[in-house]
Amino acid sequence: MILRHETISALMLLVSLPLISGFAGLSTTRPLRISTPTTLHSTPTPDDIPSQSRLEGNRREPTIAEISIIDDMITKLLAAPSHELPRVVSKAIRVVSSPRFFLRIAERTDMATSDAEKDKLSELAGNLVSTLEAVVSTTEKVLDDTALDVENIVKAAAEPLSGEFLVPLLPERIASMREVMDKIESPRLDEGFLTTIDSWMNKSGQDGMDGMVVILQKVLQIYAGTVITRARNTGDAPSPAAVLFEELLNMDTDNWDFQLRNKIGEGDELLSSEALMAEIQRTIESVVLGLENGSMAQRVQAEYLRELITAVRGAAEYGYGQLGFSAAEKIGEGDELLSSEALMAEIQRTIESVVLGLENGSMAQRVQAEYLRELITRVEAMPQE
C-alpha cells in the first residue's frame, strides 16, 4: 500500500488529537462517598492519556463491520460538496479522525481502477486534512462550553449542604441532574458532549475516583432518556405502550424493574411485554438507526435501549412465573397443541429468509437476531406434555 502525501499529512495531524478509547458502560458500582473537587475536570490533553489507550485500537486489524462503516463514510464524503465537509466531519469526528480512516482511503486509492477515482480519493484526503485542521483550531471554545454543561450536571449531583457526592445518588440528586439536562438545547447534546463525558470517565478511572465514574454513567443514562424522548413522535393519541415507554425514559433506570413488574403482565389493567417491545423496536428503527453510523450518540442510545430490553424481558420472565405464559398453553402434544419442533422450524426459516438477508453486522441484524434468539430460548424452555 502506498501512503500518499495527503495520507501522511493526515496521520501527522491525527497523532496530535486526543483519541479517547475505552467507553464505559451504563452499570452501577459500590456505595461510596467522595468529596467535591475544586475543579471537577478539564478536558485531558494528549499527555494525560496513556499511550496504550491512544494506540490500542490501531494495533489490531479492523473487523469487516468496522471496514464497512469506514467505507460507508468515505462514500458519503465523496458525494458531499466541499462546503458540507465541516458539518459531516463534525457529526462523525470519531470515525473520520481515526488514522485507520485515512489508511482505508489509501487502500481504496490503490484498489481504484480509474485515474478519475484515484484523483477523487486523493482530493478527499487533502480536503479532510484541511477540514480537520479547521476543526482543531476552533474546537477549544466549543469544548469549554461543552465542559461547562457537563460540569453543571455533575454539580447538581452534589449534596447541597455538604457539597459531597453520595453514591449511589439519592433520588433528589438525580432529579436535579435531570432538570439541568432538560435546560440544555438539543444541538448542544452532541458528540462533543459525549466525548467530554467519556474523557472525564477515563480520567476519573485513572485517578481511582470510582464514585465520579458512577455519577458520569448516570449522566449518560439521563442523556439517553432525554434525547430519545425528544426525538420520538408519539402523535396526539399515544398508545398505552408509548405512554409507559415515555415514563421509563424519564425515570431513573434503577426504578425500571419495579415499574415494569407493576405494569407488565396479563390482565385488563396490565400491558403485554410484546406491546412494549414493539414500541422500543420502533424507536430503535426510527431514532437510533437514523443516527450517524458508529457515532457515540448511536452507541450510547443503543446501549441504553438494550438495557431497557433486558429489563422488559426480566419483567416478562417474572410474569411467566407469577401469571403463566401464553405459549405454554399452546406448545405440547395433542390435537389442539403445536409441537415445539414445528415452531422452531418456522423461526429458523425466518432467520434464513429475513435476518440473514440484512446487511452483515448491521444493528438491525443484531437486534432482530437477538430477539429471535430469545424466542428460541423461550420455546426450548417450554414444558412438554
Side-chain angles (χ1 to χ4, degrees), residues 134-154:
V135 169
V136 170
S137 66
T138 59
T139 293
E140 185 173 351
K141 182 181 183 304
V142 175
L143 287 179
D144 286 344
D145 293 342
T146 299
L148 183 59
D149 285 336
V150 177
E151 185 167 341
N152 287 336
I153 297 171
V154 173

Side-chain angles (χ1 to χ4, degrees), residues 365-382:
Q365 187 185 65
R366 295 199 304 273
V367 169
Q368 293 178 39
E370 175 63 23
Y371 179 85
L372 291 178
R373 262 198 301 271
E374 179 66 22
L375 178 56
I376 290 172
T377 299
R378 287 171 178 267
V379 174
E380 290 175 339
M382 289 297 104

Side-chain angles (χ1 to χ4, degrees), residues 23 45 47 51 60 73 90 119-120 205 248 278 299 349:
F23 169 68
T45 64
D47 293 334
S51 58
R60 62 173 176 80
M73 180 55 63
S90 63
D119 290 342
K120 286 184 67 176
L248 294 167
R299 296 202 306 275
R349 279 193 291 272

Side-chain angles (χ1 to χ4, degrees), residues 105-163:
I105 293 179
E107 290 170 356
R108 286 187 50 166
T109 302
D110 290 340
M111 294 185 295
T113 56
S114 68
D115 291 339
E117 186 178 357
K118 291 178 184 290
D119 290 342
K120 286 184 67 176
L121 288 165
S122 179
E123 182 182 358
L124 174 63
N127 288 340
L128 286 178
V129 171
S130 301
T131 301
L132 284 171
E133 287 175 341
V135 169
V136 170
S137 66
T138 59
T139 293
E140 185 173 351
K141 182 181 183 304
V142 175
L143 287 179
D144 286 344
D145 293 342
T146 299
L148 183 59
D149 285 336
V150 177
E151 185 167 341
N152 287 336
I153 297 171
V154 173
K155 282 182 176 179
E159 292 299 310
L161 297 180
S162 66

Side-chain angles (χ1 to χ4, degrees), residues 146 149-150 153 181 184 188-198 219-220 223 296:
T146 299
D149 285 336
V150 177
I153 297 171
M181 181 81 73
I184 301 176
R188 285 157 55 191
L189 298 175
D190 57 6
E191 289 291 291
F193 178 84
L194 294 173
T195 300
T196 299
I197 298 174
D198 190 26
V219 175
L220 285 178
Y223 154 84
M296 183 175 286

